[in-house]
Amino acid sequence: MSWNVYLSGEIHTNWREEIETAVEKAGLAVCFSAPVTNHLASDDCGVAILGAEDNKFWHDKKGADINAIRTRALIEKADVVVVRFGEKYKQWNAAFDAGYASALGKSLIIIHGAEHQHALKEVDAAALAVADRPEQVADILRYVIDSKLEGYT
Amino acid sequence: MSWNVYLSGEIHTNWREEIETAVEKAGLAVCFSAPVTNHLASDDCGVAILGAEDNKFWHDKKGADINAIRTRALIEKADVVVVRFGEKYKQWNAAFDAGYASALGKSLIIIHGAEHQHALKEVDAAALAVADRPEQVADILRYVIDSKLEGYT
Amino acid sequence: MSWNVYLSGEIHTNWREEIETAVEKAGLAVCFSAPVTNHLASDDCGVAILGAEDNKFWHDKKGADINAIRTRALIEKADVVVVRFGEKYKQWNAAFDAGYASALGKSLIIIHGAEHQHALKEVDAAALAVADRPEQVADILRYVIDSKLEGYT
Amino acid sequence: MSWNVYLSGEIHTNWREEIETAVEKAGLAVCFSAPVTNHLASDDCGVAILGAEDNKFWHDKKGADINAIRTRALIEKADVVVVRFGEKYKQWNAAFDAGYASALGKSLIIIHGAEHQHALKEVDAAALAVADRPEQVADILRYVIDSKLEGYT
Amino acid sequence: MSWNVYLSGEIHTNWREEIETAVEKAGLAVCFSAPVTNHLASDDCGVAILGAEDNKFWHDKKGADINAIRTRALIEKADVVVVRFGEKYKQWNAAFDAGYASALGKSLIIIHGAEHQHALKEVDAAALAVADRPEQVADILRYVIDSKLEGYT
Amino acid sequence: MSWNVYLSGEIHTNWREEIETAVEKAGLAVCFSAPVTNHLASDDCGVAILGAEDNKFWHDKKGADINAIRTRALIEKADVVVVRFGEKYKQWNAAFDAGYASALGKSLIIIHGAEHQHALKEVDAAALAVADRPEQVADILRYVIDSKLEGYT
Amino acid sequence: MSWNVYLSGEIHTNWREEIETAVEKAGLAVCFSAPVTNHLASDDCGVAILGAEDNKFWHDKKGADINAIRTRALIEKADVVVVRFGEKYKQWNAAFDAGYASALGKSLIIIHGAEHQHALKEVDAAALAVADRPEQVADILRYVIDSKLEGYT
Amino acid sequence: MSWNVYLSGEIHTNWREEIETAVEKAGLAVCFSAPVTNHLASDDCGVAILGAEDNKFWHDKKGADINAIRTRALIEKADVVVVRFGEKYKQWNAAFDAGYASALGKSLIIIHGAEHQHALKEVDAAALAVADRPEQVADILRYVIDSKLEGYT
């Protein structure tokens, strides 16, 4: 069995590459997916393809809808959905993805720093693991997929 | 048919009462529900009932899980889920609820001020209506349930 | 058991009242529902409640989304969905409702005149009954709900 | 991940080939499918295989049911359903497919000219993108599947 | 909680009344339902309401489709589906109902005489109880709904 | 896309081979499946593997349950379920399979001779095609999968 | 909204009455249900109604299947499933119910003493609350349904 | 078609290898999966990856949640779930898995010795086969997948 893992949330650090590299090194059969992480393209895709809008609300609506074609399909195919909350911004789309994945019965892993612990309590409570560093997610995947846990043989 | 409407999100203003009063005045058959809006009780319910925790993470986990018993049941029974984002705080639980309701195919109505327009674009895009004032939600319910639209007879 | 019957489609004749009157006379426990049949209100509800739009596309989008709150909820609760195609207009929303109801596994009854027979063949094929007059729907409901068929005792 | 895209609707222009060629050129992993686009075969398949009917209604019914074996299976497997409304004909089967796909939670993309804007407002409202030219669909697929947006690197 | 029990199958003896009388006497909150048991009406309902057919196949098709409006709705609402196979006839509709109910996860109770034991083995195997007399079904309902079992207090 | 087609029902003629040969000759990507067609093995598999039973009812139950492991899995994976009713025997398992497949939303094709027309009317009504010869099923599959209809080019 | 709460598990103490009395005193709209708690009746219901069996395995099978008619229906209707593990016996049916309810997405509350903590870790992990005394369940229901938490006003 | 078979339960004997070896020798297309069977790793995975806990309850919770990522995904993908109850321990997780798989409609096979017959009656009743030796499971798979039954040709 090959596992599908969707990496949602924060797009300003290279946490996705960290996980993917570690998982690849471990030789696991994982197919990673993610939202479009080019911030400008993600904001403008709707109007760039379907035509400009005067009103920012509809500019954003057109973009968000096209992004949803990707996002929904990938979350629905995922076995595990990882959501990382960064230090900055509102990141409501990350929390939305977590709720969406949770209602679909996906296994959720949340990554965030200690500063967000209380504010994310409902999101964390819906997760099967709450990590603070990306490499922990790689460790979880290695254990879950390959039964490997460092120090236990 | 009686409609079930769940009012999620911001708990620091009386927006729920505004909607409920307007709907009641219009004589609509609506059964409103909401999360526990007593902030302290909501934070402490887990440890108050099931025993104290040293670690704030588990203190919060216990509470969030008990709140989820209420929240999940009410969202699942709702025909319409209204989520209001206030001016302050992270409000990730509100966005989580919106994602959860969306994945269940519920009709979403989002309320927020203009300052959050861009940050909420993915949440708004999943909604069937985006309002900035609670009375608009009452107007929507009156139209949707009772076919009444002011000025149209 | 009370039956929920949704009456979709053409809004320019009184076919809904015909069915409802006949069913009421027969004393059946049926709860009828329908889209908002006030054409102007249905077109303008979005902008009337949520604010005007310069672009007709968004004017219509806002209205159609609010109407969908009503339509989706009522179709999902229906045991039987009746869709009538009238003589004029494109009536794509009627065909959309038929497809929507069909995918949800609802029992479909279609009403249309002979002139539309070939053009509606895919819609008719998804239905459990194809009638050309509203009173036939009342007869079907009387038989289906109350086991009564004129001339058979 | 390979994407399944179903191309429903108008069969008198070569819009399907336009999209497929553009997508192929972009090297995307897309598996396209469509209804049988041979109009005569589509009309007669039922009686040709299962025997003639005197009544046109049953002639059409037999054909539509066999076409439904194909159509339903392909829509259910699709990640994205594209529906194009042409200039002529009633095209109720296209609207039916859109409703069917929508109820299954598929991502809908609608293509139509400006002349149909108001008549298709409920169908458009259920879509994640409304285009007027086939090449826009190819652009959307390139963005959604491959994160490529012209002018954004 | 009130229980919905659908009584499918053989229509030539009064087994439904036997069960209903016994259950009523026991004071259980059961809502019974059944197909239309007027054999002639059941055969002719399609053509009587929607117009005659020359071909017996379509005569039967129209009737069976209208009966399906009733049958499917009632089976879907049922908590328990009881199917009785009588001594005569093919009774393929009874077996079809059993399969249909089974796929929906309904609790099946089958009633038949010893002569059908081997021929019904797949149907029986899908059931939670196989009885040979109607009063056993009443006993099961009394036990299941009211915790009453004769001789055990 | 490869199609999964389950061939249920009569096991005393070589109709399965007829269909498979014709489909293979047509070069279609179809994966056929069927129940175990060794009658004796099918009857005895339960006791042969899990131990003998004195009572024929439990002998049959054990066998039917093991056969159900195969049958349910294959029907659930099927895109199309073909059920053939032969001339002899009760064949209630065939009708049960048809009902089971129908409730799962599978496309049903029924094959039977004219003598069973009335007795199978409910089963036929649930089907998308009713054939009387196996080669018609092959023709349907060629049309549905490959858009090929003899005489239409 | 009235809540359905299913009380599964241990039948040798009066823990169900404790919860029901406390909930009634609090005036909550809860409809409680439970398995048949008459141990002997529960063991013998199958053979008492459907006829004796020589083999204990089939004696038990017949009873367990009839009990499942009750158990499955009530768990499926429940909003909350409470499972209490007592001090003695294997209680595999309690763990089975917990797994069954969990897969259906029900909110689980588990009650057990400290001695079972490690052995029940997978069951506890699937729950939204783990209590050691029945009155805690009443407290949870009062909070969840009525927003009341002792000491918080 | 390749079959997915999940082997749940007892981890102290080599019963999984027995089944796998026999199935491999028979040349069947089966993809086996199982929980992590390294007992220590399974107990400690949570704290080893996500950080230590003072309280054994949370130590176990963290581990059980991570194990659930694996377990749930594999059970959901399985066509057949085999659960073996050994001679010792509470094995509540095995019964939980059986209930979970049953609610998802998976085909269950239970293996246990005669000493557990009465205590497992509800679990056995939900199964399609109850075996006492692992080789019987291999025989069932050979019959179900490959139509092979020793002594029947």
Side-chain angles (χ1 to χ4, degrees):
Chain A
M1 170 188 161
S2 165
W3 288 68
N4 292 316
V5 176
Y6 184 76
L7 303 172
S8 172
E10 185 258 302
I11 60 171
H12 302 288
T13 68
N14 68 341
W15 68 280
R16 286 182 181 81
E17 288 67 27
E18 265 185 76
I19 294 176
E20 289 174 31
T21 305
V23 161
E24 200 180 341
K25 198 179 299 177
L28 303 178
V30 176
C31 178
F32 286 104
S33 61
V36 169
T37 54
N38 178 329
H39 196 177
L40 283 179
S42 170
D43 267 11
D44 293 348
C45 61
V47 296
I49 297 172
L50 297 171
E53 294 291 332
D54 294 335
N55 187 333
K56 184 73 164 106
F57 181 82
W58 298 119
H59 177 115
D60 282 348
K61 163 75 176 166
K62 272 172 149 177
D65 273 352
I66 286 183
N67 282 305
I69 297 175
R70 178 183 175 99
T71 305
R72 304 289 160 85
L74 295 174
I75 291 180
E76 272 154 34
K77 299 216 166 143
D79 301 297
V80 177
V81 173
V82 182
V83 187
R84 176 174 164 102
F85 290 83
E87 289 168 30
K88 291 187 290 189
Y89 310 112
K90 292 294 190 185
Q91 307 181 73
W92 283 320
N93 57 335
F96 182 90
D97 280 0
Y100 194 88
S102 178
L104 296 180
K106 304 297 176 188
S107 288
L108 266 184
I109 301 175
I110 307 296
I111 315 176
H112 63 79
E115 72 279 15
H116 289 328
Q117 185 270 315
H118 187 62
L120 279 170
K121 66 182 190 293
E122 289 88 0
V123 177
D124 285 355
L128 289 176
V130 179
D132 49 16
R133 286 160 295 128
E135 65 261 35
Q136 291 171 311
V137 174
D139 288 347
I140 290 172
L141 292 175
R142 193 161 41 198
Y143 173 75
V144 161
I145 296 171
D146 222 19
S147 306
K148 294 281 170 50
L149 185 64
E150 198 156 336
Y152 293 75
T153 50
Chain B
M1 170 187 161
S2 166
W3 288 68
N4 293 316
V5 177
Y6 184 77
L7 304 171
S8 171
E10 183 258 304
I11 60 171
H12 302 287
T13 69
N14 68 340
W15 67 279
R16 286 182 181 82
E17 287 68 27
E18 265 185 74
I19 293 176
E20 289 175 30
T21 304
V23 161
E24 199 180 342
K25 199 180 295 178
L28 303 177
V30 176
C31 178
F32 286 104
S33 62
V36 169
T37 54
N38 178 328
H39 196 175
L40 282 180
S42 170
D43 267 13
D44 294 347
C45 62
V47 296
I49 296 172
L50 297 172
E53 293 290 333
D54 292 336
N55 186 333
K56 184 71 164 105
F57 181 81
W58 298 119
H59 176 116
D60 282 348
K61 164 74 174 165
K62 273 173 147 176
D65 272 352
I66 286 184
N67 282 305
I69 298 176
R70 177 184 177 102
T71 305
R72 305 287 161 87
L74 294 175
I75 290 180
E76 272 155 33
K77 299 214 166 146
D79 301 296
V80 178
V81 172
V82 183
V83 186
R84 177 176 164 100
F85 289 83
E87 290 168 29
K88 291 186 290 192
Y89 308 112
K90 293 293 190 186
Q91 307 179 75
W92 283 319
N93 57 334
F96 182 90
D97 281 359
Y100 194 89
S102 179
L104 296 179
K106 303 297 175 186
S107 287
L108 265 186
I109 301 175
I110 307 296
I111 314 176
H112 63 78
E115 73 279 14
H116 290 329
Q117 186 271 316
H118 187 62
L120 280 170
K121 65 181 192 294
E122 288 88 0
V123 177
D124 285 355
L128 288 176
V130 179
D132 51 16
R133 285 159 296 126
E135 65 261 35
Q136 292 171 310
V137 175
D139 287 347
I140 290 172
L141 292 175
R142 193 159 43 196
Y143 172 76
V144 161
I145 296 172
D146 221 19
S147 305
K148 295 280 169 52
L149 185 64
E150 199 155 336
Y152 293 75
T153 51
Chain C
M1 169 188 162
S2 167
W3 288 67
N4 293 315
V5 176
Y6 184 76
L7 304 171
S8 172
E10 185 258 305
I11 60 171
H12 302 287
T13 67
N14 69 338
W15 68 279
R16 287 182 180 82
E17 288 68 28
E18 265 186 74
I19 294 176
E20 289 175 30
T21 305
V23 160
E24 199 180 342
K25 199 179 295 177
L28 304 177
V30 176
C31 179
F32 286 104
S33 61
V36 169
T37 54
N38 178 327
H39 195 175
L40 283 179
S42 171
D43 267 12
D44 293 347
C45 61
V47 295
I49 296 172
L50 297 172
E53 293 291 333
D54 293 335
N55 187 333
K56 184 72 164 103
F57 181 81
W58 298 119
H59 177 115
D60 282 347
K61 163 76 175 165
K62 272 172 149 177
D65 273 353
I66 286 184
N67 282 305
I69 298 175
R70 177 183 176 102
T71 303
R72 304 290 161 86
L74 295 175
I75 291 179
E76 272 155 34
K77 299 214 166 146
D79 302 297
V80 177
V81 172
V82 182
V83 187
R84 175 174 165 102
F85 289 82
E87 290 168 30
K88 293 187 289 191
Y89 309 111
K90 293 293 191 185
Q91 306 181 74
W92 283 320
N93 57 335
F96 181 90
D97 281 359
Y100 194 89
S102 178
L104 296 179
K106 304 298 176 184
S107 288
L108 265 187
I109 300 175
I110 307 297
I111 314 177
H112 63 78
E115 72 279 14
H116 288 329
Q117 186 268 316
H118 187 63
L120 279 170
K121 66 181 192 292
E122 289 88 0
V123 177
D124 285 356
L128 288 176
V130 179
D132 49 16
R133 287 161 294 128
E135 65 261 35
Q136 292 172 311
V137 175
D139 287 348
I140 290 172
L141 292 175
R142 194 159 42 197
Y143 173 75
V144 161
I145 297 171
D146 221 18
S147 305
K148 295 281 168 55
L149 185 65
E150 199 156 335
Y152 293 74
T153 52
Chain D
M1 170 188 161
S2 166
W3 289 67
N4 293 315
V5 177
Y6 183 77
L7 303 173
S8 171
E10 187 256 303
I11 60 172
H12 302 287
T13 68
N14 69 339
W15 68 279
R16 286 183 180 81
E17 287 67 28
E18 266 187 73
I19 294 176
E20 290 174 30
T21 305
V23 161
E24 201 180 340
K25 200 179 296 177
L28 303 177
V30 176
C31 178
F32 286 103
S33 60
V36 170
T37 54
N38 178 328
H39 196 177
L40 283 180
S42 171
D43 267 12
D44 293 347
C45 61
V47 296
I49 297 172
L50 297 171
E53 293 291 333
D54 294 334
N55 187 331
K56 184 71 166 108
F57 181 82
W58 298 119
H59 177 116
D60 282 348
K61 163 75 175 166
K62 272 172 148 176
D65 273 352
I66 286 184
N67 282 305
I69 297 176
R70 178 181 174 102
T71 305
R72 306 288 161 84
L74 295 175
I75 291 180
E76 271 154 35
K77 300 217 165 142
D79 300 298
V80 177
V81 173
V82 182
V83 187
R84 176 173 164 101
F85 289 83
E87 290 168 30
K88 291 186 292 189
Y89 308 111
K90 293 294 188 184
Q91 307 180 73
W92 282 321
N93 57 334
F96 182 90
D97 280 359
Y100 195 88
S102 177
L104 296 180
K106 303 297 174 185
S107 288
L108 267 185
I109 300 176
I110 307 295
I111 314 177
H112 63 78
E115 72 279 15
H116 289 328
Q117 185 271 315
H118 187 62
L120 279 170
K121 65 182 192 293
E122 289 89 358
V123 177
D124 285 355
L128 288 176
V130 180
D132 49 17
R133 285 161 296 126
E135 65 261 36
Q136 292 172 312
V137 175
D139 287 348
I140 290 172
L141 293 175
R142 193 161 41 199
Y143 173 75
V144 161
I145 297 172
D146 221 19
S147 305
K148 294 281 169 51
L149 185 64
E150 198 156 334
Y152 293 75
T153 50
Chain E
M1 169 189 163
S2 165
W3 289 67
N4 293 315
V5 177
Y6 184 76
L7 304 172
S8 172
E10 186 257 304
I11 60 170
H12 302 288
T13 68
N14 69 339
W15 68 279
R16 286 182 180 81
E17 288 67 28
E18 265 185 75
I19 294 175
E20 289 175 32
T21 305
V23 160
E24 199 180 341
K25 200 179 294 176
L28 304 178
V30 176
C31 179
F32 286 103
S33 62
V36 169
T37 54
N38 179 328
H39 195 176
L40 283 179
S42 170
D43 267 11
D44 293 348
C45 62
V47 295
I49 296 173
L50 297 172
E53 292 292 334
D54 293 335
N55 187 332
K56 184 71 166 103
F57 181 82
W58 298 118
H59 177 115
D60 281 349
K61 164 76 174 166
K62 273 173 149 176
D65 273 352
I66 286 185
N67 282 306
I69 298 176
R70 177 183 176 102
T71 304
R72 304 288 161 85
L74 295 174
I75 291 180
E76 271 154 35
K77 299 213 164 146
D79 301 296
V80 177
V81 172
V82 182
V83 187
R84 176 175 165 101
F85 289 83
E87 290 168 29
K88 291 187 290 191
Y89 309 111
K90 293 293 190 185
Q91 307 182 72
W92 282 320
N93 58 334
F96 182 90
D97 281 0
Y100 195 89
S102 178
L104 297 179
K106 303 298 176 183
S107 288
L108 265 186
I109 301 175
I110 307 296
I111 315 177
H112 63 78
E115 72 279 14
H116 289 329
Q117 186 271 314
H118 186 62
L120 280 170
K121 65 182 192 292
E122 288 88 359
V123 177
D124 285 356
L128 289 175
V130 179
D132 49 17
R133 286 161 294 127
E135 65 260 36
Q136 291 172 312
V137 175
D139 287 348
I140 290 171
L141 292 175
R142 193 159 43 197
Y143 173 75
V144 162
I145 297 171
D146 221 20
S147 305
K148 293 283 169 51
L149 184 65
E150 200 156 332
Y152 292 76
T153 52
Chain F
M1 169 189 162
S2 165
W3 289 66
N4 293 316
V5 177
Y6 184 76
L7 303 172
S8 171
E10 187 256 304
I11 60 172
H12 302 288
T13 69
N14 69 339
W15 68 279
R16 287 183 179 80
E17 286 68 26
E18 266 185 74
I19 295 176
E20 290 175 31
T21 304
V23 161
E24 200 179 341
K25 200 179 297 178
L28 304 177
V30 176
C31 179
F32 287 103
S33 61
V36 170
T37 54
N38 178 329
H39 196 174
L40 282 179
S42 170
D43 267 13
D44 293 348
C45 62
V47 297
I49 298 172
L50 297 171
E53 292 291 333
D54 294 335
N55 186 333
K56 184 72 167 107
F57 181 83
W58 298 118
H59 177 116
D60 281 347
K61 164 75 174 166
K62 274 173 148 176
D65 273 352
I66 286 183
N67 281 305
I69 298 176
R70 178 182 176 103
T71 305
R72 305 289 160 83
L74 295 175
I75 292 180
E76 271 154 35
K77 300 215 165 143
D79 301 297
V80 177
V81 173
V82 182
V83 187
R84 176 174 164 101
F85 289 83
E87 291 170 28
K88 290 187 291 188
Y89 309 111
K90 292 295 189 184
Q91 306 181 71
W92 282 320
N93 56 335
F96 181 89
D97 281 359
Y100 194 88
S102 178
L104 296 179
K106 302 298 174 185
S107 287
L108 265 186
I109 301 175
I110 307 296
I111 314 177
H112 63 79
E115 72 279 14
H116 289 329
Q117 186 271 315
H118 187 62
L120 279 171
K121 66 182 191 293
E122 289 87 359
V123 176
D124 284 355
L128 288 176
V130 179
D132 48 17
R133 284 161 296 128
E135 65 261 35
Q136 292 171 312
V137 175
D139 288 347
I140 291 172
L141 292 175
R142 193 160 42 197
Y143 173 76
V144 162
I145 296 171
D146 221 19
S147 305
K148 294 281 168 52
L149 185 65
E150 199 156 334
Y152 294 74
T153 51
Chain G
M1 170 188 162
S2 166
W3 289 67
N4 292 315
V5 177
Y6 183 76
L7 304 172
S8 172
E10 185 258 304
I11 60 170
H12 302 288
T13 69
N14 69 338
W15 67 279
R16 288 183 179 82
E17 287 68 28
E18 265 185 75
I19 293 176
E20 289 176 31
T21 304
V23 161
E24 199 180 342
K25 200 180 294 176
L28 304 177
V30 176
C31 179
F32 286 104
S33 61
V36 169
T37 54
N38 179 329
H39 196 175
L40 283 179
S42 170
D43 267 12
D44 293 347
C45 62
V47 296
I49 296 173
L50 297 172
E53 293 291 334
D54 293 337
N55 186 333
K56 185 72 164 101
F57 181 81
W58 297 119
H59 177 116
D60 281 347
K61 165 74 174 167
K62 273 172 148 177
D65 273 351
I66 286 183
N67 282 305
I69 298 176
R70 177 183 177 102
T71 304
R72 305 289 161 86
L74 295 174
I75 290 179
E76 272 154 34
K77 299 215 165 143
D79 301 295
V80 177
V81 172
V82 182
V83 187
R84 176 174 164 102
F85 289 82
E87 290 168 31
K88 291 186 291 190
Y89 308 112
K90 293 294 188 184
Q91 308 180 72
W92 283 319
N93 57 334
F96 182 89
D97 281 359
Y100 194 89
S102 178
L104 297 179
K106 304 297 175 184
S107 288
L108 266 186
I109 301 175
I110 307 296
I111 314 176
H112 63 78
E115 73 278 15
H116 290 328
Q117 187 271 315
H118 187 62
L120 280 170
K121 67 182 190 293
E122 288 88 0
V123 177
D124 284 356
L128 289 175
V130 179
D132 49 17
R133 286 160 296 126
E135 65 261 36
Q136 292 172 311
V137 175
D139 288 347
I140 290 172
L141 292 175
R142 193 159 44 197
Y143 173 76
V144 162
I145 297 171
D146 221 19
S147 305
K148 295 281 169 51
L149 185 64
E150 200 157 334
Y152 294 75
T153 50
Chain H
M1 171 189 161
S2 165
W3 289 67
N4 292 316
V5 177
Y6 184 76
L7 304 172
S8 172
E10 186 258 304
I11 59 171
H12 302 289
T13 69
N14 69 338
W15 68 279
R16 287 182 181 81
E17 287 68 28
E18 264 185 75
I19 294 176
E20 290 175 31
T21 305
V23 160
E24 199 180 342
K25 198 179 299 176
L28 304 177
V30 176
C31 179
F32 286 103
S33 61
V36 170
T37 54
N38 178 328
H39 195 175
L40 281 180
S42 170
D43 267 12
D44 293 347
C45 61
V47 296
I49 297 172
L50 298 171
E53 294 290 334
D54 294 335
N55 187 334
K56 183 71 164 106
F57 180 83
W58 298 118
H59 177 115
D60 281 348
K61 162 77 175 165
K62 273 173 149 176
D65 273 352
I66 286 184
N67 282 305
I69 297 176
R70 177 183 176 99
T71 303
R72 305 290 160 85
L74 295 175
I75 291 180
E76 271 154 34
K77 300 215 164 142
D79 301 296
V80 177
V81 172
V82 182
V83 187
R84 177 174 163 103
F85 289 83
E87 289 168 30
K88 291 188 289 188
Y89 309 112
K90 292 294 190 185
Q91 306 181 72
W92 282 321
N93 57 335
F96 181 89
D97 281 359
Y100 194 88
S102 178
L104 297 179
K106 304 297 176 186
S107 288
L108 265 186
I109 300 175
I110 306 296
I111 314 177
H112 63 79
E115 73 279 15
H116 289 329
Q117 186 270 317
H118 187 62
L120 279 171
K121 66 181 191 293
E122 288 88 0
V123 176
D124 285 355
L128 289 175
V130 179
D132 49 17
R133 285 160 296 127
E135 66 260 36
Q136 291 171 312
V137 174
D139 288 347
I140 291 172
L141 292 174
R142 193 161 42 196
Y143 173 76
V144 161
I145 296 171
D146 221 19
S147 306
K148 294 280 169 53
L149 185 64
E150 196 156 338
Y152 294 73
T153 50

